[in-house]
Amino acid sequence: MGKAKAKGKQAKGKIKETAGKAMGDRGMQAEGHGEQMAGKAHEQVERTAERAGERMKRPSGR
């Protein structure tokens, strides 16, 4: 999953959480919050992978 998809999942989760709050549906609210957290986790994994790739490209200082 790319960073764009991760951001999309976060946005979808926020919408679902807000809708759940508005309707008083705690299950939907919790599901939306969970989707947001999953999106944030995937985004962090992508960032970490990018950083690792950048380090692999740099020449070593030895």
Side-chain angles (χ1 to χ4, degrees), residues 2 5 8 10-11 25-26 30 32 34 37 43 50:
K5 283 188 177 182
Q10 289 176 50
D25 185 341
R26 296 187 92 183
M37 295 301 107
E43 185 179 12
E50 283 179 4

Side-chain angles (χ1 to χ4, degrees), residues 5-14 35-36 39-40 43:
K5 283 188 177 182
K7 286 282 189 188
K9 188 167 192 146
Q10 289 176 50
K12 179 182 171 190
K14 183 65 176 173
E35 284 184 24
Q36 286 180 72
K40 286 181 182 182
E43 185 179 12

Side-chain angles (χ1 to χ4, degrees), residues 31-53:
E31 189 177 324
H33 183 74
E35 284 184 24
Q36 286 180 72
M37 295 301 107
K40 286 181 182 182
H42 284 286
E43 185 179 12
Q44 190 61 43
V45 167
E46 291 293 328
R47 284 185 185 156
T48 302
E50 283 179 4
R51 288 183 191 143

Side-chain angles (χ1 to χ4, degrees), residues 48-61:
T48 302
E50 283 179 4
R51 288 183 191 143
E54 289 171 8
R55 285 195 174 166
M56 297 297 288
K57 292 178 185 175
R58 282 191 232 157
S60 64

